[in-house]
Amino acid sequence: MRFRHQDGTVVHLGYCSNVHQAEDLEGVVAQLAQYAEPVRERLGVDRLGLGLWLARDVVSALVADAGELSRLKSELAARGLETVTLNAFPYAGFHRDVVKKDVYLPDWADEARLEYTLDCARLLAVLLPDDAERGSVSTLPLAWREPWPAERAGAARSALDRLADGLAAIERGTGRRIRVGFEPEPGCVVETTTQAVRELGGLDPERLGVCLDACHLAVQFEDPAAALNRLSEAGIPVVKLQASCAVEAADPTDVAAQAALRRLAEPRFLHQTRTAHLGDVLGTDDLGEALDGGLPAAPGPWRTHFHAPLHADPEPPLRTTAAHLTDVLAGLLGGPAAHCDHIEVETYTWSVLPEPPTDLPGGIAAELAWAGNRLTGLGLKEQPS
């Protein structure tokens, strides 16, 4: 789906395929027919954006075989799908029974992370539609916060310089500009926009910036306007927005709220939980820790890193941070200039909801419709194919 901002910028809206379990090429191709094309049909549009997550083994196979890459591009086109962005945060194993902190490995001090990210950029340069201005790749915010000794931080900084050089070489060779966005996340070396300015300042702004995840921003209790202004003043572009909602318990002392939260404390993904107290943000690394006494239950509220469907309310009395996401969209796209042109709905947690959906394509389509309505409400015009 494409929308045009008043300044003429084409804004791409799609959803991220990391919601689907596929870590080989055949699985990736199959999910296009099983899920992505039905989502497009539910929306009644001729073209749908799909932000691909390609595990390391899939990327290696596509880099090694141009014919297979051409096949993937043809499959996307035949099903009315287009790809302008890749999610290169998870490296592999994103749908194992237990993922938790393994999702941050390898980190940016490991050469494997640089190689994987550049390979993703090379693939995206081929997959990009001919009329797309540029592509984006999202990645982790350097590493989990510990251990992060000075020598690893130095190795990561060197890798980022080489990343910028590699992206420049891809542009020279293909004529396609690919930007990489580092995604601040609670508990990581870069968990806030303040830390993004500290850790990512001085990098090549033409090719490196942030991928802003609205769920993460809300969990850290960051004010959208202040966060966006902070990045702008530092010259750090928002190369991609992940349109996502956190779960909030307005009163975490409420027995019903605690019971509903307990049903979200599942074993696969990490659900960092935060509360704001006397001007400070306090937190635990997982929801279970918070519920077991690791986080003050008053005065509240709690916000937890559980990507909730954009269009639906969670189990009462819980709610989502949809209003916060709406403010993020307004800050990026509500003014005379568009400050982001790639928006990706990234609710990867459908399978670990207390009641997983029986109609996943319908749920994803409803999320995209919700996001599209917010864009048109900001004055953007949906573009025909």
Side-chain angles (χ1 to χ4, degrees), residues 104 106-114 140 142-143 147-149 151-157 159-160 162:
Y104 308 109
D107 63 36
W108 274 97
D110 189 324
E111 191 73 15
R113 176 60 65 173
L114 173 63
L140 73 156
L142 300 185
W148 193 241
E151 61 269 21
R152 291 189 67 77
R157 186 69 183 203
L160 301 194
R162 288 184 289 144

Side-chain angles (χ1 to χ4, degrees), residues 109-120:
D110 189 324
E111 191 73 15
R113 176 60 65 173
L114 173 63
E115 294 171 355
Y116 171 61
T117 308
L118 284 173
D119 279 347
C120 285

Side-chain angles (χ1 to χ4, degrees), residues 265-347:
E266 53 80 35
R268 177 175 296 164
F269 300 118
L270 203 63
H271 300 297
Q272 303 93 313
T273 302
R274 302 286 187 265
T275 189
H277 182 62
L278 299 177
D280 293 324
V281 177
L282 309 176
T284 60
D285 287 343
D286 213 347
L287 177 57
E289 298 170 21
L291 290 166
D292 290 340
L295 201 60
W302 284 7
R303 291 178 179 173
T304 192
H305 175 213
F306 193 111
H307 286 215
L310 304 189
H311 65 293
D313 294 325
E315 179 182 351
L318 303 182
R319 61 193 184 194
T320 74
T321 55
H324 187 277
L325 170 57
T326 299
D327 288 343
V328 174
L329 289 167
L332 287 171
L333 298 167
H339 298 289
C340 179
D341 57 353
H342 292 175
I343 301 174
E344 179 180 76
V345 171
E346 199 221 8
T347 307

Side-chain angles (χ1 to χ4, degrees), residues 76-318:
L76 288 164
R79 301 187 185 282
L81 308 170
E82 67 176 13
T83 294
V84 300
T85 187
L86 298 185
N87 185 337
F89 193 134
Y91 187 84
F94 192 57
H95 288 274
R96 293 198 309 260
D97 290 343
V98 179
V99 179
K100 299 293 183 181
K101 293 178 184 177
D102 286 350
V103 75
Y104 308 109
L105 299 174
D107 63 36
W108 274 97
D110 189 324
E111 191 73 15
R113 176 60 65 173
L114 173 63
E115 294 171 355
Y116 171 61
T117 308
L118 284 173
D119 279 347
C120 285
R122 293 182 183 102
L123 297 180
L124 183 55
V126 176
L127 294 175
L128 270 180
D130 292 340
D131 59 350
E133 180 179 353
R134 57 196 174 191
S136 63
V137 176
S138 52
T139 185
L140 73 156
L142 300 185
W144 186 250
R145 68 181 183 276
E146 56 187 13
W148 193 241
E151 61 269 21
R152 291 189 67 77
R157 186 69 183 203
S158 173
L160 301 194
D161 289 336
R162 288 184 289 144
L163 172 63
D165 291 343
L167 294 172
I170 291 170
E171 185 173 357
R172 287 193 300 270
T174 66
R176 311 312 301 269
R177 171 161 294 189
I178 308 297
R179 301 192 295 174
V180 170
F182 297 85
E183 183 183 328
E185 178 168 322
C188 293
V189 172
V190 178
E191 62 177 358
T192 65
T193 55
T194 297
Q195 292 169 335
V197 169
R198 182 190 71 203
E199 298 292 338
L200 305 176
L203 297 174
D204 180 358
E206 296 298 316
R207 294 181 174 84
L208 304 180
V210 299
C211 167
L212 203 60
D213 187 305
C215 171
H216 304 171
L217 199 71
V219 169
Q220 288 295 143
F221 287 87
E222 289 207 65
D223 175 74
L228 294 173
N229 186 61
R230 184 176 299 117
L231 294 171
S232 177
E233 288 184 346
I236 298 176
V238 179
V239 305
K240 175 178 176 178
L241 171 69
Q242 286 182 327
S244 54
C245 291
V247 171
E248 180 176 275
D251 179 8
T253 67
D254 183 345
V255 173
Q258 291 188 13
L261 286 171
R262 185 72 68 178
R263 283 187 277 276
L264 296 178
E266 53 80 35
R268 177 175 296 164
F269 300 118
L270 203 63
H271 300 297
Q272 303 93 313
T273 302
R274 302 286 187 265
T275 189
H277 182 62
L278 299 177
D280 293 324
V281 177
L282 309 176
T284 60
D285 287 343
D286 213 347
L287 177 57
E289 298 170 21
L291 290 166
D292 290 340
L295 201 60
W302 284 7
R303 291 178 179 173
T304 192
H305 175 213
F306 193 111
H307 286 215
L310 304 189
H311 65 293
D313 294 325
E315 179 182 351
L318 303 182

